[in-house]
Amino acid sequence: MSKVINFKNAELKSISDFLFSLKLVGRASRGRNKLLVEMERKAEAFYTDLRELREECYQKNNESGKSELKENFTADDVDRKVNEVGQDLAGVNIDEFSDKIKALYQALDEYPEKLEGLDAVCYDRLMDLLEEIEF
């Protein structure tokens, strides 16, 4: 059975930024870096989806040169579509480095630094996701 962490597309950047900011050593640091590489690949796919959505919903105004909604779309339609893409899951397979992810989980569980604001939210979400994995 493969081990997969299922992030929502919309949370990839904030969790990546949080992970990048952590002071980690050894296997935990290596686990973080392996996870960040995979998360970046998923984020690139998400950004590609958003670009395609933009092309689907917007057109360039020939007179002003600015983008505008195509006739058959409303701002609410676009917002709904963006939210749907943001809620799609981006599964990161960690089979090849699950031992390092386990070290990352243990380091996060004992992380000595104070977390607040968005970092605290990202920490909580990441820990929830890691706790779903059977190491």
Side-chain angles (χ1 to χ4, degrees):
M1 182 172 158
S2 65
K3 296 176 185 175
V4 176
I5 302 174
N6 287 307
F7 297 97
K8 293 179 183 174
N9 280 329
E11 67 191 5
L12 285 167
K13 179 164 180 12
S14 56
I15 292 176
S16 291
D17 290 348
F18 165 70
L19 278 169
F20 188 76
S21 73
L22 296 175
K23 297 173 184 169
L24 301 170
V25 296
R27 292 174 76 73
S29 179
R30 293 197 64 219
R32 179 233 345 246
N33 293 339
K34 301 270 187 210
L35 184 57
L36 283 171
V37 167
E38 296 302 318
M39 290 175 73
E40 179 62 28
R41 287 184 185 146
K42 297 299 178 175
E44 287 174 14
F46 172 50
Y47 298 140
T48 297
D49 290 346
L50 289 177
R51 279 191 297 276
E52 289 172 0
L53 182 61
R54 181 174 172 75
E55 290 171 7
E56 175 187 338
C57 299
Y58 289 91
Q59 64 189 9
K60 194 173 216 175
N61 182 310
N62 290 333
E63 293 175 15
S64 69
K66 295 181 181 180
S67 292
E68 60 185 25
L69 281 172
K70 291 181 180 178
E71 269 187 41
N72 49 339
F73 290 100
T74 66
D76 288 341
D77 293 336
V78 175
D79 287 345
R80 188 174 15 79
K81 287 176 180 270
V82 168
N83 286 331
E84 286 173 6
V85 173
Q87 294 301 308
D88 285 347
L89 296 180
V92 174
N93 188 325
I94 60 162
D95 278 334
E96 293 180 18
F97 51 94
S98 65
D99 58 324
K100 292 172 188 70
I101 296 297
K102 183 177 182 180
L104 172 62
Y105 171 76
Q106 291 168 340
L108 288 173
D109 195 40
E110 300 169 3
Y111 197 68
E113 302 288 326
K114 180 180 177 183
L115 300 171
E116 49 190 24
L118 184 57
D119 283 349
V121 172
C122 290
Y123 171 84
D124 187 54
R125 176 68 176 141
L126 182 58
M127 290 301 285
D128 284 347
L129 292 169
L130 292 174
E131 288 167 352
E132 292 175 4
I133 297 170
E134 294 179 26
F135 291 107

